[in-house]
Amino acid sequence: MKVLAQLAQKAREISQVRLYKKNVERVLSALLVSGDFWELVDMSDLPVPAASGIVRVLVEEGLAFIDDEENIRLTQKGLDLVKELGIEPYVDYTCQACEGRGIPFYANIEFYREFLQVTKERPKAIRDYDQGSVTPETTVTRVLFMDSRGDLRNKEIVVLGAEDDLTGLAVALFRKAKRVLILDIDKRLIDFDNAIFKELGIDNAEAIVWDLRKPLDSSMLGKFDVFVSDPPETIPAFRAFIGRGIATLKEDGGVGYFGLTLRDSSVFRWRDFQIALTTEFGVAITDIVQDFNHYITWDYHAETKAAEIAPVKRFPEGIWYRSAWYRIEALPGFKRWNEPISDDVFYLDEEGSTT
Amino acid sequence: MKVLAQLAQKAREISQVRLYKKNVERVLSALLVSGDFWELVDMSDLPVPAASGIVRVLVEEGLAFIDDEENIRLTQKGLDLVKELGIEPYVDYTCQACEGRGIPFYANIEFYREFLQVTKERPKAIRDYDQGSVTPETTVTRVLFMDSRGDLRNKEIVVLGAEDDLTGLAVALFRKAKRVLILDIDKRLIDFDNAIFKELGIDNAEAIVWDLRKPLDSSMLGKFDVFVSDPPETIPAFRAFIGRGIATLKEDGGVGYFGLTLRDSSVFRWRDFQIALTTEFGVAITDIVQDFNHYITWDYHAETKAAEIAPVKRFPEGIWYRSAWYRIEALPGFKRWNEPISDDVFYLDEEGSTT
């Protein structure tokens, strides 16, 4: 297994992302079922720079090559290595009914249909704010998940900086919350939400333009039962979205939901997030559902660092970007973090690439 | 909402378990759909002593009563309170296909059938060792989950003190692991496993009697790619099972799987476990799938502390005890903990009750 360790070491040097042998093994396993780079990233659960670094090293070492159609394929030497190491093809047993979320979006089919109908003319994701919307099935299941945990009916809910997914709109549309406040930097989404609330006579929901780099207004602190967010995966952004989310909670027992991905952040950084949550912020993690959030490939893909550093120019064909769904509960003594944040490395760092 | 806070405070005094308003709210929500105590525990995700304390306080305060068939029912005063607080009935959207696990047990139906066939004569759970087996669907899905994450094929796998679930047997039966070592204190299970391995000619698996209160033998340390366990939820037991599990891992990138429940441990203690994992042991948590493990009610239920402290004598009718499925990855510098453990509070403390 020394070969794998050497490959991992070289990939780490190229990509500047922390990774280990197991990651190389997963890419080789994925290569036995697909040659599409974006599918490899998906199957190997790696930050794009890491997956790209591994593929480049495999090519350099003569273990893989890129064919005319930009498929990444193992060479005979690569196939021999895979056989020698006993690496087998990637397998997927994901539930076809619920897409692996544990709750099927069609558990409330009327709600799903209404969400689709109401959001037909939704604004497109744009690059300015690291946007990338999840599938409507994802958004609808987020709401059902919250409802099944007692985190929706008659609750005061704030959605912070994730309205490209229209989660705040969906929560309001479910018509069971007591109050919904939506904060997002993108005026297009705020206007879209407010227009729908007006049209449908939903008078307990409100969307306002807010830049989460700024501290929240004191009128928002300690006022909510539940927050929902979807932060970029840098440490400063995590603080700005999740730290402030926790700061909005009324009291212990308050709940937070957010997505975190391994496509823009390593498992090393996940541990940093988890340490910050449990020690500094004073919350417990109750759920981490991998691959819960499915993102539609953004129109600005060509402009992303991901596209630039990928070993191939071919664009993603299907869904390749997924994130895990976290649920946390605030325990007594939890911390309300609400400091200003500088612009530096807010969206991007060495592990991130999709903005 | 002051009433809820007072009820929570009283329940905390009676039960000696840390809990908050939200927990009382969840019990009231559950009471709107069931009067069965064990179903309430299940729906409210609470340690048995906490749920029992809450029910007792509701009865004391005239908000609930226990009818002739030992159903817990809200009084008119209770119903008025629920209405006033806007508490709605518990809802459940669990996927019927995969039972909420995200992977359906029938994804490999031949394997499921073989597991059922081979384990027909399995030893019954006994109280001596805090046993309680999960459903065969649970065990089989654990194996598929491991396989889908690249944690099974050609891996060296150790199963520590959880063989009442026959997970080690199932892993070996899947016939894809490189090596399987099963450690359990119960000689009946060890003999059962070894007899099957012999009968089926599975020569890469071995089960040995081991008391996990003792340190592992040096021949077991740093030798495995993956460990699986299912610890009792006390801090000493967590160290003995999970600390030692981590100590068996060869290197960073090593993986651990285990169950943790909220039926025998509060979310407060979950945070303690999570802090120990991420800071002391040096691992990252990649998955927490709630209600993944479904336990068959044990024959010795009547003898448990749970039965004793329950507000009713009626036995559970269906599955009420579930636990979450954790997956962790060891990061560079992870700690191999392997100290001896005293017998004190190994199985039971103020939050536990099912042993």
Side-chain angles (χ1 to χ4, degrees), chain A residues 16-222:
Chain A
Q16 296 295 309
V17 178
R18 293 164 289 186
L19 54 88
Y20 35 60
K21 273 167 57 177
K22 187 176 170 66
N23 303 129
V24 179
E25 198 183 297
R26 285 300 269 170
V27 169
L28 289 169
S29 180
L31 273 171
L32 293 171
V33 297
S34 172
D36 180 272
F37 176 69
W38 304 103
E39 287 184 22
L40 297 184
V41 173
D42 190 10
M43 290 188 268
S44 60
D45 268 328
L46 280 175
V48 177
S52 177
I54 291 171
V55 168
R56 284 176 199 278
V57 168
L58 294 177
V59 171
E60 270 174 28
E61 300 291 318
L63 297 162
F65 68 103
I66 297 172
D67 73 12
D68 293 346
E69 286 168 336
E70 296 210 301
N71 279 305
I72 301 152
R73 301 178 58 181
L74 290 171
T75 59
Q76 189 57 49
K77 187 179 166 192
L79 288 167
D80 291 345
L81 179 70
V82 158
K83 195 170 177 188
E84 184 193 326
L85 298 175
I87 294 171
E88 297 206 14
Y90 174 92
V91 285
D92 181 11
Y93 303 114
T94 304
C95 180
Q96 298 300 303
C98 65
E99 300 185 321
R101 297 186 188 95
I103 290 177
F105 67 87
Y106 53 77
N108 185 334
I109 196 71
E110 292 77 18
F111 175 56
Y112 174 67
R113 284 203 196 108
E114 185 180 12
F115 180 74
L116 284 186
Q117 175 65 25
V118 163
T119 59
K120 259 187 324 194
E121 311 289 334
R122 64 193 290 171
K124 286 203 165 185
I126 54 174
R127 193 184 173 198
D128 300 25
Y129 312 119
D130 178 36
Q131 290 176 345
S133 13
V134 298
T135 61
E137 294 76 24
T138 302
T139 302
V140 161
T141 311
R142 285 177 176 177
V143 175
L144 299 181
F145 194 108
M146 292 167 66
D147 192 25
S148 73
R149 296 304 180 83
D151 299 329
L152 202 152
R153 295 174 194 238
N154 279 299
K155 299 295 182 190
E156 302 193 72
I157 300 168
V158 59
V159 181
L160 302 101
E163 198 50 13
D164 36 335
D165 296 332
L166 300 178
T167 303
L169 175 63
V171 168
L173 200 64
F174 201 69
R175 293 182 177 82
K176 293 287 185 186
K178 185 171 177 184
R179 177 192 171 202
V180 183
L181 176 66
I182 296 159
L183 307 178
D184 200 281
I185 197 170
D186 187 352
K187 191 171 181 301
R188 300 174 312 142
L189 295 166
I190 299 304
D191 291 345
F192 181 75
D193 282 358
N194 284 327
I196 288 177
F197 297 152
K198 199 174 168 193
E199 189 188 323
L200 298 180
I202 295 174
D203 55 9
N204 68 338
E206 182 191 9
I208 57 179
V209 176
W210 196 272
D211 182 346
L212 281 165
R213 284 171 290 198
K214 286 193 321 185
L216 294 179
D217 191 84
S218 64
S219 69
M220 301 166 183
L221 298 177

Side-chain angles (χ1 to χ4, degrees), chain B residues 278-339:
Chain B
T278 54
T279 63
E280 185 188 339
F281 292 135
V283 306
I285 306 165
T286 64
D287 301 77
I288 304 178
V289 185
Q290 284 286 351
D291 294 346
F292 185 101
N293 301 298
H294 299 189
Y295 291 77
I296 298 161
T297 297
W298 24 89
D299 291 341
Y300 62 88
H301 172 82
E303 303 159 42
T304 62
K305 182 182 158 197
E308 183 193 319
I309 61 176
V312 295
K313 292 294 151 222
R314 204 168 85 180
F315 280 11
E317 278 168 27
I319 285 168
W320 66 276
Y321 191 98
R322 299 175 213 268
S323 75
W325 190 228
Y326 272 64
R327 181 181 181 277
I328 57 172
E329 279 188 30
L331 302 190
F334 72 91
K335 183 172 161 190
R336 293 210 177 89
W337 187 94
N338 192 30
E339 305 298 317

Side-chain angles (χ1 to χ4, degrees), chain B residues 192-234:
Chain B
F192 181 75
D193 281 358
N194 284 327
I196 288 176
F197 297 152
K198 199 174 168 193
E199 188 187 324
L200 298 181
I202 295 175
D203 57 8
N204 68 338
E206 181 192 10
I208 56 179
V209 175
W210 197 272
D211 181 346
L212 281 165
R213 282 169 292 197
K214 288 193 319 185
L216 293 180
D217 191 84
S218 65
S219 69
M220 302 164 182
L221 299 177
K223 294 291 190 297
F224 293 88
D225 302 298
V226 177
F227 79 87
V228 185
S229 195
D230 200 10
E233 272 78 6
T234 65

